[in-house]
């Protein structure tokens, strides 16, 4: 069992062990019910972010370029979204959104990490050779990185990010990434 799986298995076991039922919620005061619902929604939001990152990794390991060696195809699924759907029991649209938004989140994280590494390398070179006048490294993050960052930070939900990206479209002739 991976450490990530252990975390979620433990959380699931803890929740199942509580044996909460309708009567437990009925016994709450109005304020306690409101606070409880907010806590549940926050928990769902956090776990959904991780489900999206997992779905993105399933998609990455299932890239069509890998052919039959890709994860989804090896496991008998036609696509990564079909595999995610079979694992989670969600709808096709939900699975697609998990893959799409998780991929945005992973790409934004990767771009940020590359930018940080480039800045560290530039700082090391500048310290090593102060006489050199080195230009700043310019790494371009994907245009949708702010959406991925917003989901990761909890400022917007998966559905909102998915709908925004779909509604904005993709860069094309006459539509620059900056415009999007």
């Amino acid at each position: 069992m991976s450490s990530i799986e252990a975390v979620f298995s433990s959380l699931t076991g803890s929740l199942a062990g509580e044996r909460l039922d309708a009567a437990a919620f009925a016994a709450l005061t109005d304020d306690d019910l409101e606070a409880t619902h907010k806590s549940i929604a926050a928990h769902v939001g956090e776990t959904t972010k991780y489900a999206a990152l997992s779905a993105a990794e399933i998609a990455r390991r299932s890239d069509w370029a890998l052919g039959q060696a890709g994860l989804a195809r090896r496991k008998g699924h036609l696509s990564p979204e079909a595999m995610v759907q079979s694992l989670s029991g969600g709808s096709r649209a939900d699975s697609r959104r998990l893959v799409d938004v998780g991929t945005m989140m992973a790409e934004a994280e990767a771009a940020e990490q590359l930018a940080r590494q480039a800045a560290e390398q530039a700082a090391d070179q500048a310290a090593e050779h102060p006489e050199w006048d080195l230009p700043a490294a310019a790494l371009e993050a994907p245009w949708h990185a702010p959406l991925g960052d917003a989901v990761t930070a909890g400022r917007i939900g998966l559905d909102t990010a998915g709908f925004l990206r779909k509604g904005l479209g993709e860069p094309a002739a006459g539509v620059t990434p900056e415009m999007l």
Side-chain angles (χ1 to χ4, degrees), residues 51 55 58 77 80-96 98:
I58 288 170
H77 303 282
E81 295 81 8
M83 183 173 177
V84 169
Q85 184 178 9
S86 77
L87 293 171
S88 64
S91 70
R92 183 179 298 155
D94 289 342
S95 298
R96 179 83 211 149
L98 281 174

Side-chain angles (χ1 to χ4, degrees), residues 2-24:
S2 74
S3 60
I4 297 173
E5 180 187 0
V7 167
F8 287 99
S9 291
S10 175
L11 286 170
T12 301
S14 292
L15 285 171
E18 291 297 321
R19 304 238 186 268
L20 299 173
D21 58 11

Side-chain angles (χ1 to χ4, degrees), residues 8 43-53 98 105 151 158-159:
F8 287 99
H43 176 80
V44 168
E46 284 297 310
T47 56
T48 302
K49 285 192 298 189
Y50 297 122
L53 290 172
L98 281 174
M105 293 166 65
V151 173
L158 245 59
D159 288 344

Side-chain angles (χ1 to χ4, degrees), residues 3-121:
S3 60
I4 297 173
E5 180 187 0
V7 167
F8 287 99
S9 291
S10 175
L11 286 170
T12 301
S14 292
L15 285 171
E18 291 297 321
R19 304 238 186 268
L20 299 173
D21 58 11
F25 288 92
L28 295 172
T29 66
D30 290 350
D31 289 342
D32 287 343
L33 179 60
E34 182 180 3
T36 298
H37 196 83
K38 283 181 182 179
S39 293
I40 292 168
H43 176 80
V44 168
E46 284 297 310
T47 56
T48 302
K49 285 192 298 189
Y50 297 122
L53 290 172
S54 178
E57 184 60 20
I58 288 170
R60 188 187 71 75
R61 294 182 188 190
S62 302
D63 190 281
W64 283 108
L66 298 171
Q68 294 297 324
L71 177 61
R73 307 237 6 232
R74 275 195 340 260
K75 297 291 184 171
H77 303 282
L78 295 176
S79 68
E81 295 81 8
M83 183 173 177
V84 169
Q85 184 178 9
S86 77
L87 293 171
S88 64
S91 70
R92 183 179 298 155
D94 289 342
S95 298
R96 179 83 211 149
R97 195 166 13 267
L98 281 174
V99 168
D100 289 347
V101 176
T103 299
M104 277 194 306
M105 293 166 65
E107 288 173 351
E109 181 182 321
E112 184 177 311
Q113 187 174 15
L114 283 174
R116 195 171 28 252
Q117 288 171 347
E120 288 170 4
Q121 288 174 349

